[in-house]
Amino acid sequence: MNWYPWLNDAYRQLIGAYQAGRGHHALLIHSIAGNGADALSYGMSRWLICQNKDGLKSCGECHSCRLMLAGTHPDYHVLDVEKGKSTISIDAVRKLTETLSGHAQQNGAKVVAIPNGQALTDAAANALLKTLEEPSKQTYFLLGCEKPENLLATLRSRCLTYFLSAPAPEIALYWLQKQMPEVNVDDAVTALRLSQDAPIAALQLLEPQHWQKRTLLCNELEQSLRTKDFLRLLPALNTDNAPECISWLLGLLSDSIKIQQKASQFCVNQDQIGRVTLLATTMSSSQLLDLYGKWQDCRHQLLTVPALNQELILSNQLLQWEALFASPSR
C-alpha cells in the first residue's frame, strides 16, 4: 500500500502512544474519503504486528513482517463490505469474533482493520461490542469512518476517536502536482476544493475519464444557459454516479451565489469562473437559492430512496429549472 507524506505526524503521534503504553486497543480513525486513512491503518497494523520493532518502524524482516507484505498474515484480519453488498453482516462479525477467541497463530498481536465502520449493520455492531469491550490480550481494532455520528453510540464509546485532518492546501497541491505534472494549477486547485482538500480523492477526480465527465457537465450547463434548453443537461447528469454529478452542479450554483455576493475568492470551481459568472448574471439570488434547494433534495432522493426512476427524476428537475428560468421574478 502507498504511503503519503502528510500521514507522518499522525503516525508518529499514534505509534508514540503505543510505545508509551497509552495506545487504545480500539482506535476509530475519523477522516474524509481520499485522505489516506487506510494507509495509516495499514502502517499502524504492520507496526503492531511486527515481532522486532525498530523504533517507530516495523522491521520489514521478521516472519510477521514478511507475512504482512505477502498479504497472508493469519493474525491480520480485514472486515469489509463483501463484493455486491453494501453492509457488513452480523455473520461476518460472528465469524471474526470466533477467530479472535483463539490464540494468535504467530504468538504476537492480532489486528483487525475495519476500513468502513459505517457499513456495520446495527446487529453487526452490537455483535462486536463485547469483543471490543473485553478483547483478548494484544488484540487491536483499527476502524475507519467518515461520519462517526452514523455509528452506534455504544460502539463509539468503546473506541478512542482520532481525527485525521486533510493536509494544508499548499502541501496537498504540491503533492498533487508531483503526481500529475501536466495538470494546470486551476484544475488542481479545483479538484482539491471539490475533494475537501483530500489529495488522493483529488488525484482520482483528475483522472481523464472522471474529469471529462465534469467538463462535459460544465460545457452543457453553459449551452443550456445560452439556449434556455436545460434538458440537454440530462445525458451529463444521468450517469452511473448521478449523485456526484449533482454535487458538481451544486458546487457551481453555490459559486454563482458567491459571485453575486462579491466573494469570488471563495469559489470552489476556480477553473470555471467564466461559466459561474454567466450563471450568476443570468439568474437572480432567489432563483439560485431555490434551485440549489431543489437539487439538494433531488440528490438526497437518489441516495436514499431505492428503485427510483433516475432519468424521470432528473428530467422533471430540469423541466422545473426551465420553468424557474422563465419566471418573470428575477
Side-chain angles (χ1 to χ4, degrees), residues 119-257:
L120 289 163
T121 64
D122 287 353
N126 279 318
L128 191 61
L129 293 181
K130 183 172 177 57
T131 307
L132 274 179
E133 189 165 12
E134 299 176 0
S136 55
K137 186 178 179 181
Q138 281 193 288
T139 299
Y140 301 95
F141 292 85
L142 301 174
L143 294 84
C145 190
E146 291 179 41
K147 298 179 179 180
E149 64 273 15
N150 290 346
L151 292 176
L152 284 182
T154 46
L155 182 69
R156 292 201 312 269
S157 67
R158 286 162 173 78
C159 300
L160 174 68
T161 300
Y162 180 87
F163 177 65
L164 178 64
S165 61
E170 59 271 16
I171 293 174
L173 180 60
Y174 176 78
W175 180 85
L176 194 56
Q177 289 178 309
K178 292 282 283 185
Q179 309 307 307
M180 300 186 78
E182 71 281 5
V183 172
N184 67 56
V185 174
D186 282 346
D187 284 357
V189 169
T190 298
L192 282 168
R193 292 187 178 184
L194 286 169
S195 306
Q196 297 177 276
D197 287 328
I200 305 165
L203 182 65
Q204 293 168 347
L205 176 57
L206 284 169
E207 290 295 329
Q209 68 273 19
H210 204 174
W211 195 247
Q212 286 167 8
K213 292 179 181 178
R214 176 179 170 275
T215 301
L216 173 64
L217 176 66
C218 295
N219 291 343
E220 291 302 309
L221 174 61
E222 178 180 354
Q223 293 307 312
S224 294
L225 288 167
R226 295 190 185 282
T227 63
K228 313 300 186 292
D229 175 16
F230 288 90
L231 275 177
R232 68 176 298 148
L233 274 168
L234 183 60
L237 289 169
N238 189 28
T239 66
D240 292 339
N241 199 5
E244 183 179 31
C245 294
I246 294 174
S247 293
W248 294 336
L249 182 57
L250 286 168
L252 295 165
L253 291 169
S254 175
D255 282 350
S256 67
I257 296 171

